[in-house]
Amino acid sequence: MAEALLVVEGLNTVLNTSEGTVRAVTDVSVEIGKGEIVGIVGESGCGKSMTVMSIMGLVPSPPGEVTGGRVMFDGTDLRTLSGAEMQKTRGRRIGMIFQDPMTFLNPVLTIESQISEMLRHHLNLTKAERRERVIDLLRRVRIPDPARVVASYPHQLSGGMRQRILIATAISCDPELIIADEPTTALDVTVQAQILELLKEIIHDMGSSLLLITHDLGVVAETCDRVYVMYAGKVVEEAPVDELFRTPKHPYTQGLLASILRADERRDELYALDGTVPNLVDVPVGCAFVDRCAKATAICETAGPGWTRNSDVSGVACWNYET
Amino acid sequence: MTTAPILSVESLTKTYRSGGLFSTTPPVQAVAGVSFDIAPGETLALVGESGCGKSTIGRVIMNLTDPTSGHVVFDGSDLATLDAKAALETKTHLQMIFQDPFGSLNPRKTVRQILSQPFRVAGISNWEPRVLDLLRVVGMTPPERFVNRMPHEFSGGQRQRIAIARAFALQPKLIVADECVSALDVSVRAQILKLMKRLQQETQVSYLFISHDLGVVRSMAHRVAVMYLGRLVEIGPVEQIFNAPAHPYTQALLSASPVPDPERERTKRRIILRGDIPSPSRPPSGCRFHTRCPIARPLCSEREPILEARSADHPVACHFSDLAKADAWT
Ligand SMILES: Nc1ncnc2c1ncn2[C@@H]1O[C@H](COP(=O)(O)OP(=O)(O)OP(=O)(O)O)[C@@H](O)[C@H]1O
Ligand SMILES: Nc1ncnc2c1ncn2[C@@H]1O[C@H](COP(=O)(O)OP(=O)(O)OP(=O)(O)O)[C@@H](O)[C@H]1O
Ligand code: SF4
Ligand SMILES: [Mg+2]
Ligand SMILES: [Mg+2]
């Protein structure tokens, strides 16, 4: 792996709700090297967004609380930073892209003021320099006619254009790391292809790293160098992308891959994992996947499987994983 | 086709006029002259990107909205011309499953009430055993555990099973399934699709399967109809559409659909389309795809291509489909 940029160790986050304590993130360890594109993939509610929020210090509190772990970014534990210091890091050194640009973009501000605001906050530039930079950023995310678009409001743009604006904002201060949470989920597939292509190119050009959150294994295959698979709040498998798709080790990863229908092959017999994900309020004591697992043995019911590291860049949490 | 189609959609057009009499917003031509047939026991997938008119076609077929022009012939009769009694009878054989089962199931009714409703409407009195049977059929066993509960007590996948159970209550001949698994997670999605396939094998029901997920379509459909901005651009047998797509839009759509295989993703030829989908209230002149088409020529903006048979069962609407590389995405 490349030299580490972000090292998350033993992250734990809970949400205190009226139904009980939701264990949204449990012992999550994730590492991102310089220049790498790393994916976190998993089904709805498995804790992907909460992991990101915990890394960024954005867990809503209450009901949320990060109860343990370290978030080492370029040698500093982000969890020890003050609110003001963290705010400086966000945007300046770590850029963020969300699924729904409208929650991030201010509807009453022009595109120029939105991006300028970010620049004003973090960089020491004159007004003219800022304006020039905004136009340059829009050009970099391939917005046609940037001089016109800077004056428009978010609702006047299409979903794909808004996502480009978000990318422009995220890269505005040349961050070392970009975290994108389902950046293309709301987009049509031809527009998704444009945006993923753009993201890859920009990350490559800036020499930055990307942490990409998605539920779509196709997007992972197209974009990422390495992947973490999450299930019920935990990382259950980690591997370089080729290895994960060629020789998945965890029964959940195997089941997930076997149930995806692909546009490049027709299947007459469909495969499906039985059952559903467990409720994160009372996570089973043993392996959280035990109810749905074809490989489960007695121990899986009573004890959670530890992490087996298979190499520098791959590991699995399962008592009976495929060797 | 040797057997009579269960459904024929003929030159269907639907224009939405927004606002009042003096509204300045132009009307939206959501569906523009679309025709297709579905055979008994067949699944026809309707694919295309957001706003291309898929749901509108489904809604017209279900009689939820009137067509601006054109006809829908179901099981031999034009629904618009049937008298009320005959229409009611016909409609029991025509059912719909929606993307969001939460929206389509009455939140204040129990599963027993929801599933017995079709029987009660049809005047069938001894429905309790049939309700329990339906639950078994969709894999919710033992059914006694589920009948007294309300929709909010179920997961998304279970709610979709209940919606499917209701659709299958009275021997449907055609089910319009509009993005019926799009809101579900991969593992639950696979369960529902497996169920739908099994039910089709057992009952010979036909599906109009509306979906934007080409992976799902390839394994579910027998034939595929591809739409762009209200127009059908290509229709044909599933393996022909996927192995030898003839329309440049179909090719781009296929090339843009990521497959869970990194090696393939690195080597496949990728067609990245320019720009966004134009507004359906101001569709481009000539071929509606010409503003984004990688092989467009001057003729394309001048004259609209008609849907012409390349081979007997695979018509395409493109002036230059001979030039479009069929192997584009492999
Ligand atoms: N504000 C909240 N209050 C209570 N529970 C929450 C809250 N936010 C998230 N959760 C719960 O925390 C768990 C993890 O949620 P998270 O949003 O991280 O999932 P996710 O993997 O991002 O899912 P998705 O793919 O749907 O975005 C879920 O079980 C969710 O229901
Ligand atoms: N009731 C309505 N009034 C006005 N315009 C409408 C109405 N319903 C749909 N439209 C418009 O008609 C066009 C086709 O919409 P439709 O819902 O059929 O598309 P779709 O292919 O199902 O899209 P999606 O994949 O997003 O569901 C869109 O431009 C839409 O905005
Ligand atoms: S630990 Fe046991 S139950 Fe869990 S995935 Fe492995 S074999 Fe299955
Ligand atoms: Mg999320
Ligand atoms: Mg629709």
Side-chain angles (χ1 to χ4, degrees):
Chain A
M1 200 193 310
E3 188 190 340
L5 176 65
L6 179 77
V7 182
V8 177
E9 279 173 350
L11 193 64
N12 280 281
T13 303
V14 297
L15 293 142
N16 300 304
T17 69
S18 54
E19 274 111 75
T21 304
V22 177
R23 302 186 52 90
V25 180
T26 304
D27 285 330
V28 164
S29 297
V30 168
E31 198 167 324
I32 298 152
K34 292 196 173 147
E36 251 192 331
I37 300 185
V38 173
I40 297 183
V41 68
E43 293 179 275
S44 185
C46 71
K48 303 180 297 292
S49 295
M50 273 300 155
T51 300
V52 167
M53 297 303 226
S54 309
I55 291 172
M56 298 298 286
L58 291 173
V59 171
S61 166
E65 188 189 343
V66 180
T67 55
R70 298 203 302 165
V71 180
M72 304 299 294
F73 178 68
D74 196 22
T76 320
D77 187 352
L78 295 184
R79 289 196 59 216
T80 63
L81 295 186
S82 69
E85 287 169 322
M86 191 61 213
Q87 220 164 35
K88 253 195 209 144
T89 308
R90 277 197 299 266
R92 172 74 189 85
R93 301 190 64 190
I94 306 180
M96 283 211 68
I97 304 168
F98 302 93
Q99 169 173 347
D100 177 12
M102 283 317 263
T103 60
F104 178 83
L105 295 173
N106 186 334
V108 300
L109 291 183
T110 63
I111 299 306
E112 172 163 14
S113 356
Q114 321 242 3
I115 306 180
S116 262
E117 177 60 23
M118 187 69 124
L119 297 174
R120 204 179 49 78
H121 205 88
H122 293 293
L123 304 178
N124 219 340
L125 300 175
T126 66
K127 202 161 170 218
E129 284 169 335
R130 281 205 299 271
R131 189 187 166 101
E132 201 174 305
R133 186 151 175 148
V134 169
I135 296 210
D136 179 55
L137 282 164
L138 294 191
R139 206 167 277 132
R140 273 169 69 194
V141 295
R142 307 247 170 69
I143 286 190
D145 200 359
R148 189 182 56 85
V149 172
V150 283
S152 52
Y153 292 88
H155 72 267
Q156 296 173 308
L157 304 174
S158 69
M161 292 276 264
R162 282 185 214 139
Q163 207 49 288
R164 285 171 197 266
I165 300 291
L166 222 58
I167 295 175
T169 314
I171 63 170
S172 60
C173 306
D174 288 320
E176 293 127 277
L177 174 66
I178 290 180
I179 301 185
D181 191 351
E182 307 272 8
T184 58
T185 305
L187 302 176
D188 269 317
V189 53
T190 60
V191 181
Q192 163 169 289
Q194 297 168 352
I195 297 289
L196 289 178
E197 192 87 352
L198 176 71
L199 257 179
K200 276 195 284 193
E201 206 180 292
I202 281 180
I203 294 293
H204 187 80
D205 288 351
M206 297 198 308
S208 312
S209 312
L210 174 66
L211 177 59
L212 179 73
I213 313 300
T214 176
H215 66 277
D216 187 334
L217 280 154
V219 169
V220 169
E222 179 176 343
T223 318
C224 301
D225 303 318
R226 284 191 312 113
V227 199
Y228 294 86
V229 181
M230 283 187 76
Y231 187 78
K234 291 184 183 166
V235 172
V236 295
E237 181 160 6
E238 167 197 350
V241 75
D242 284 331
E243 197 178 309
L244 187 93
F245 285 85
R246 206 178 312 127
T247 52
K249 292 195 163 54
H250 197 283
Y252 174 63
T253 317
Q254 293 173 339
L256 210 53
L257 283 171
S259 34
I260 300 181
L261 296 174
R262 315 167 43 143
D264 63 343
E265 82 188 20
R266 180 174 170 89
R267 268 196 228 152
D268 291 311
E269 284 297 310
L270 305 191
Y271 171 84
L273 276 169
D274 287 331
T276 47
V277 295
N279 184 337
L280 292 183
V281 172
D282 38 4
V283 199
V285 275
C287 171
F289 189 58
V290 66
D291 292 344
R292 311 176 72 185
C293 183
K295 293 211 168 105
T297 47
I299 190 168
C300 308
E301 300 267 3
T302 52
W307 186 251
T308 310
R309 190 153 270 305
N310 293 310
S311 80
D312 243 20
V313 285
S314 61
V316 56
C318 168
W319 290 113
N320 305 311
Y321 69 90
E322 187 109 5
T323 45
Chain B
M1 230 173 286
T2 46
T3 45
I6 187 68
L7 180 84
S8 296
V9 169
E10 294 164 6
S11 310
L12 186 72
T13 295
K14 175 70 188 181
T15 305
Y16 293 107
R17 282 169 217 290
S18 47
L21 200 52
F22 303 104
S23 163
T24 50
T25 28
V28 174
Q29 210 179 45
V31 179
V34 167
S35 304
F36 58 80
D37 287 343
I38 303 182
E42 182 181 56
T43 299
L44 175 74
L46 204 51
V47 307
E49 292 177 286
S50 190
C52 70
K54 306 181 295 296
S55 296
T56 301
I57 290 180
R59 290 167 51 80
V60 171
I61 292 172
M62 293 307 295
N63 234 333
L64 296 171
T65 182
D66 290 328
T68 307
S69 65
H71 299 276
V72 175
V73 179
F74 174 69
D75 206 9
S77 44
D78 185 339
L79 288 182
T81 63
L82 290 181
D83 63 60
K85 187 163 166 285
L88 194 70
E89 162 71 22
T90 308
K91 272 201 222 156
T92 61
H93 301 301
L94 180 57
Q95 296 289 329
M96 184 154 188
I97 313 172
F98 296 88
Q99 167 167 2
D100 174 17
F102 219 16
S104 67
L105 301 175
N106 188 330
R108 283 178 297 277
K109 297 246 156 93
T110 63
V111 170
R112 175 181 282 108
Q113 287 169 314
I114 290 169
L115 292 184
S116 62
Q117 197 240 356
F119 299 120
R120 286 183 277 122
V121 170
I124 298 168
S125 51
N126 182 25
W127 44 258
E128 177 77 12
R130 299 179 69 163
V131 166
L132 298 181
D133 263 348
L134 280 176
L135 284 169
R136 276 186 213 105
V137 164
V138 299
M140 297 180 77
T141 47
E144 293 78 8
R145 246 182 53 205
F146 299 97
V147 277
N148 294 318
R149 297 210 241 148
M150 320 268 271
H152 73 262
E153 298 174 75
F154 294 101
S155 68
Q158 287 174 318
R159 284 201 288 267
Q160 204 55 290
R161 283 177 198 267
I162 294 167
I164 291 173
R166 184 179 56 183
F168 273 92
L170 297 170
Q171 275 108 42
K173 293 180 181 168
L174 174 72
I175 291 180
V176 174
D178 190 352
E179 302 282 3
C180 68
V181 294
S182 305
L184 304 175
D185 265 323
V186 181
S187 69
V188 180
R189 178 181 302 176
Q191 295 168 1
I192 297 295
L193 293 173
K194 219 172 129 176
L195 172 66
M196 288 178 70
K197 261 206 159 171
R198 197 194 82 216
L199 290 171
Q200 182 172 55
Q201 275 154 12
E202 289 170 8
T203 67
Q204 285 301 298
V205 70
S206 304
Y207 291 126
L208 176 63
F209 192 85
I210 298 175
S211 175
H212 66 271
D213 184 332
L214 292 168
V216 168
V217 164
R218 184 149 196 185
S219 288
M220 290 299 286
H222 300 106
R223 284 191 306 135
V224 180
V226 185
M227 289 186 70
Y228 187 79
L229 276 181
R231 287 261 188 226
L232 213 55
V233 299
E234 177 165 14
I235 179 167
V238 63
E239 287 307 272
Q240 278 192 40
I241 297 288
F242 280 85
N243 288 326
H247 196 283
Y249 175 63
T250 312
Q251 292 168 0
L253 204 58
L254 285 169
S255 103
S257 303
V259 290
D261 182 341
E263 235 172 271
R264 246 199 104 109
E265 282 298 330
R266 274 192 295 270
T267 54
K268 86 176 182 198
R269 196 166 86 94
R270 217 179 279 285
I271 308 166
I272 302 280
L273 290 181
R274 290 167 279 162
D276 295 315
I277 304 163
S279 156
S281 55
R282 287 183 206 81
S285 63
C287 172
R288 296 182 176 205
F289 184 55
H290 87 260
T291 53
R292 301 173 77 202
C293 180
I295 60 163
R297 309 239 170 138
L299 174 67
C300 303
S301 56
E302 290 157 17
R303 196 183 320 146
E304 175 136 32
I306 52 166
L307 200 62
E308 276 178 316
R310 261 166 72 106
S311 64
D313 54 358
H314 184 175
V316 180
C318 171
H319 293 303
F320 299 105
S321 62
D322 293 344
L323 304 177
K325 273 236 185 74
D327 64 342
W329 78 297
T330 50

